[in-house]
Amino acid sequence: MKLAVVGTGYVGLVAGACFAESGNDVVCVDTNDAKIRLLRRGKMPIYEPGLEELVRRNMTEQRLAFTTTLAKAVRDAQVIFIAVGTPQGEDGSADLKYVLQVARDVAKAMNGYKVIVDKSTVPVGTSEKVRDVVRKETTHPFSVVSNPEFLKQGAAIEDFMKPDRVVIGAEDERARAIMLELYEPFTRTGAPIMVMDCASAELAKYAANAMLATRISFMNEVANVCELVGADVDQVRRAIGSDRRIGTSFLFPGVGYGGSCFPKDVQAMMRFASDKKYDFKILNAVESVNKLQKTRLFAKMKKQLGPLKGKTIAIWGLAFKPRTDDMREAPAVPLIEALVEAGAKVQAFDPEAAPVAKGIFGSSISYTTTAYDALKGADALAIVTEWNEFRTPDFERMRTLMRSPVIFDGRNLFTPEQMKQQEFTYHSIGRS
Ligand SMILES: NC(=O)c1ccc[n+]([C@@H]2O[C@H](COP(=O)([O-])OP(=O)(O)OC[C@H]3O[C@@H](n4cnc5c(N)ncnc54)[C@H](O)[C@@H]3O)[C@@H](O)[C@H]2O)c1
């Protein structure tokens, strides 16, 4: 099938590359000229495991191309995916300006029947808005489909190639058949393709992210209570996770959720509920718990270390989660800002996100090229992202590098017993 994917961010680039991998002819479109030039050279604008190899292979085999010229890509395509950003607007709602602009541009370029697929995360009713915008600009026939994306950054290709499910909101048979054909190669292992109305598909994406954010905030509160009553959140997590009604995923307490999706999607869901005069009370709490959780590691450090002025603090992990260089809403940001504000000297290491962090903190902190270098002369180490390479470090080497062997573990990578044995003063989340 001939496809155009508009927007080459985490979603568009991954979707484009994966659709090409399954034999389609894909043209990825972006207004960001620098990004397109980079991609044409086979270089990735983001870090995502396996992406570069996938993109390069499909470019070489001439199934994947990159352009800034939307009109030609649209004319050549049967299906056009809209995968541009839907950032948080000032009032918390999803800002649809990019989506609707693309819809307008697509409509102007149309030369026959097209399926216009909304892959961006958009509030209920957006498919209607897209339909209206397109109808105003063209007399050609078209279908609008809602196809929310559930991939996880850090495992995006795996998630796209082997999805838990594919959700398709389609209200006419022609578009439905095309979408089923397109996704068939990705669901051979039995993952369901769920076809539904557009409103349900649109809402499903927000409900999924809101549910996941809720689990995180819930467990963070459980952890906070564990600290107060002398319980161990790991034991509590195991005990509740083994209940099949609850399950084990997304029960790890930490320093709060971040990234480009959960914070904005929780906000947007509250907002479109309140537009209908519905007060989504749980999500309000989820968000305020998360904000507070992002301050807790700093509060612990202040309490345990005393005044931070002049102290050297090592940071392991800057990205909002492992296997990505994305720092949008990352818990490391408010933590580092608070440390710098308190007069601490910050030495940070992240396997991928240092270039992004430099754009945020500039020279107010230092960046090291190894995890151990960050520890030199440190009064304490704060672990903020659970990269695998932090899980089994050489503790003896750490002790010799640090001024004092103190760890604030925001991801519970180690156990208190292990840390006692290794002669570290150890503070973690939800364990006394
Ligand atoms: N990042 C994720 O893990 C994830 C997962 C599922 C869904 N989503 C949703 O998918 C959408 C895209 O997210 P993302 O993280 O890929 O965004 P992103 O910010 O990484 O990328 C968006 C891209 O769209 C481009 N763009 C903007 N306007 C354009 C236009 N008019 N024409 C062509 N290109 C244009 C930008 O230059 C940018 O490259 C959002 O709605 C997001 O909520 C994201």
Side-chain angles (χ1 to χ4, degrees):
M1 228 180 266
K2 288 191 183 305
L3 313 177
V5 181
V6 188
T8 57
Y10 287 89
V11 169
L13 187 52
V14 169
C18 292
F19 280 133
E21 180 73 5
S22 68
N24 299 289
D25 286 326
V26 182
V27 177
C28 287
V29 186
D30 206 291
T31 43
N32 184 331
D33 194 34
K35 217 180 224 189
I36 292 298
R37 269 186 280 133
L38 201 68
L39 284 162
R40 279 183 173 157
R41 296 206 316 270
K43 299 251 183 289
M44 297 304 104
I46 50 169
Y47 172 73
E48 183 61 46
L51 183 62
E52 184 163 317
E53 191 194 333
L54 191 70
V55 167
R56 285 187 175 196
R57 181 169 59 244
N58 283 284
M59 282 170 77
T60 308
E61 291 171 15
Q62 298 192 341
R63 287 190 299 264
L64 182 62
F66 296 95
T67 183
T68 51
T69 314
L70 178 108
K72 180 167 175 0
V74 169
R75 282 197 299 273
D76 293 345
Q78 183 179 9
V79 183
I80 298 122
F81 284 86
I82 304 178
V84 295
T86 46
Q88 192 174 311
E90 269 173 29
D91 60 357
S93 64
D95 187 343
L96 294 177
K97 68 170 178 273
Y98 303 111
V99 169
L100 297 179
Q101 184 57 49
V102 172
R104 207 167 288 124
D105 294 345
V106 167
K108 284 182 186 156
M110 275 168 58
N111 55 348
Y113 175 74
K114 307 282 172 190
V115 182
I116 302 169
V117 185
D118 198 345
K119 213 174 212 342
S120 300
T121 302
V122 290
V124 176
T126 304
S127 57
E128 264 315 309
K129 287 186 182 160
V130 168
R131 217 168 269 135
D132 290 347
V133 163
V134 175
R135 206 175 281 130
K136 274 194 194 123
E137 302 287 345
T138 184
T139 52
H140 289 291
F142 67 94
S143 304
V144 173
V145 167
S146 168
N147 171 220
E149 181 51 57
F150 295 92
L151 61 76
K152 298 184 289 294
Q153 285 175 227
I157 290 163
E158 171 85 7
D159 285 350
F160 198 95
M161 293 303 230
K162 295 184 197 147
D164 290 342
R165 74 327 208 165
V166 173
V167 170
I168 293 170
E171 281 155 21
D172 67 88
E173 196 40 57
R174 190 172 181 187
R176 214 172 285 152
I178 290 170
M179 294 304 287
L180 289 176
E181 187 188 332
L182 189 58
Y183 272 107
E184 196 272 332
F186 301 95
T187 52
R188 288 226 170 100
T189 49
I193 303 187
M194 300 174 177
V195 182
M196 56 189 76
D197 59 282
C198 287
S200 303
E202 288 165 340
L203 190 60
K205 173 63 194 176
Y206 283 101
N209 275 359
M211 177 71 176
L212 294 170
T214 303
R215 277 174 82 104
I216 295 174
S217 277
F218 177 80
M219 278 314 284
N220 282 337
E221 289 220 281
V222 170
N224 297 342
V225 173
C226 281
E227 288 177 15
L228 296 173
V229 300
D232 178 340
V233 74
D234 276 347
Q235 305 304 336
V236 176
R237 177 177 55 76
R238 283 180 37 209
I240 65 172
S242 58
D243 186 323
R244 269 173 291 168
R245 293 167 303 177
I246 296 173
T248 50
S249 316
F250 265 78
L251 288 186
F252 290 85
V255 283
Y257 60 76
S260 69
C261 293
F262 288 3
K264 88 169 165 59
D265 292 350
V266 165
Q267 271 280 340
M269 190 165 190
M270 278 194 286
R271 181 69 211 187
F272 66 69
S274 85
D275 285 347
K276 297 284 177 197
K277 308 273 178 282
Y278 187 83
D279 179 14
F280 211 134
K281 293 191 183 66
I282 290 180
L283 291 187
N284 237 316
V286 165
E287 196 189 33
S288 55
V289 167
N290 193 54
K291 278 201 180 119
L292 210 61
Q293 197 68 16
K294 285 185 176 177
T295 66
R296 284 183 70 90
L297 205 61
F298 178 72
K300 277 184 196 208
M301 294 174 90
K302 223 166 67 174
K303 186 168 166 212
Q304 301 296 333
L305 301 175
L308 291 162
K309 196 169 171 40
K311 295 228 157 75
T312 299
I313 306 295
I315 303 276
W316 279 6
L318 296 163
F320 86 94
K321 64 175 306 217
R323 296 181 297 278
T324 182
D325 60 354
D326 196 345
M327 286 192 65
R328 291 178 282 185
E329 303 281 335
V333 175
L335 172 66
I336 291 174
E337 280 170 357
L339 287 167
V340 170
E341 170 80 24
K345 182 174 168 249
V346 174
Q347 302 177 162
F349 171 73
D350 187 284
E352 294 296 335
V356 180
K358 282 179 190 161
I360 300 171
F361 305 114
S363 56
S364 64
I365 67 170
S366 59
Y367 311 88
T368 64
T369 48
T370 73
Y372 293 104
D373 284 347
L375 301 175
K376 283 180 187 159
D379 294 286
L381 161 68
I383 301 173
V384 188
T385 316
E386 67 277 33
W387 284 92
N388 268 341
E389 65 181 86
F390 301 155
R391 287 178 190 273
T392 47
D394 179 342
F395 290 112
E396 203 180 311
R397 187 170 167 202
M398 289 173 72
R399 268 197 320 271
T400 47
L401 287 167
M402 293 175 76
R403 188 176 297 146
S404 29
V406 183
I407 297 178
F408 292 86
D409 184 354
R411 298 294 182 177
N412 288 1
L413 295 191
F414 314 123
T415 63
E417 299 72 44
Q418 183 188 13
M419 288 297 92
K420 204 166 164 189
Q421 258 177 22
Q422 295 291 346
E423 294 165 27
F424 275 86
T425 306
Y426 183 62
H427 308 277
S428 57
I429 307 287
R431 305 181 298 189
S432 31

